[in-house]
């Protein structure tokens, strides 16, 4: 059974930091592109950052310079380090694994940036 377990969400003040992690099991992790998506209140789910099997990284413009995505194939994990957080970053964050045959989503973890 494929399982994606996310952790690290919570409440943080503007300018603060959080680190999200997603641990995968039941798959050959290294053959997937991995990424983080988010869905804010009243908005669609958008890509935040992705990193491919070959290591190519893409960030959405609004998080460049503030967020860093990384993967550890030995541990089957993908992380998102979020610095200088803004209220606009408030959303449910989802991890995603994708290859030509399959796509999987985590259950989502809430990030709230507020003073």
């Amino acid at each position: 059974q494929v399982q994606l377990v996310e952790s690290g969400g919570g409440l943080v003040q503007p300018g603060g930091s959080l680190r999200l992690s997603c641990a995968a099991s039941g798959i050959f992790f290294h053959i997937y592109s991995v990424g983080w998506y988010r869905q804010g209140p009243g908005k669609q789910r958008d890509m935040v950052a992705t990193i491919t099997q070959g290591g190519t990284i893409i960030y959405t413009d609004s998080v460049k310079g503030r967020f860093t995505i990384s993967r550890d194939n030995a541990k089957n994990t993908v992380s998102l380090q979020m610095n200088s957080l803004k209220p606009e970053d408030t959303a449910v964050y989802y991890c995603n694994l994708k290859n030509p045959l399959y796509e999987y989503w985590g259950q989502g973890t809430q990030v709230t940036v507020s003073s």
Side-chain angles (χ1 to χ4, degrees):
Q1 182 179 5
V2 176
Q3 292 185 327
L4 303 179
V5 180
E6 302 174 7
S7 62
L11 175 65
V12 66
Q13 294 183 340
S17 298
L18 286 173
R19 185 175 181 87
L20 307 182
S21 295
C22 178
S25 61
I27 62 169
F28 292 109
F29 185 81
H30 63 282
I31 67 172
Y32 289 83
S33 293
V34 299
W36 288 93
Y37 293 69
R38 67 186 181 187
Q39 186 168 14
K43 299 180 180 179
Q44 65 183 22
R45 186 180 299 184
D46 293 326
M47 189 273 289
V48 177
T50 59
I51 179 168
T52 70
Q53 178 186 0
T56 300
I57 296 175
I58 300 174
Y59 296 101
T60 191
D61 286 343
S62 63
V63 308
K64 289 180 179 177
R66 300 189 297 121
F67 291 10
T68 303
I69 188 172
S70 61
R71 67 187 296 167
D72 188 336
N73 289 340
K75 297 181 178 179
N76 281 15
T77 59
V78 55
S79 298
L80 185 69
Q81 178 66 46
M82 304 185 294
N83 299 326
S84 301
L85 283 161
K86 304 175 181 179
E88 305 92 273
D89 297 317
T90 296
V92 178
Y93 285 70
Y94 301 87
C95 64
N96 170 265
L97 276 67
K98 183 186 297 183
N99 73 8
L101 290 177
Y102 300 106
E103 184 175 31
Y104 301 100
W105 292 93
Q107 80 286 349
T109 184
Q110 177 70 47
V111 172
T112 302
V113 185
S114 176
S115 60

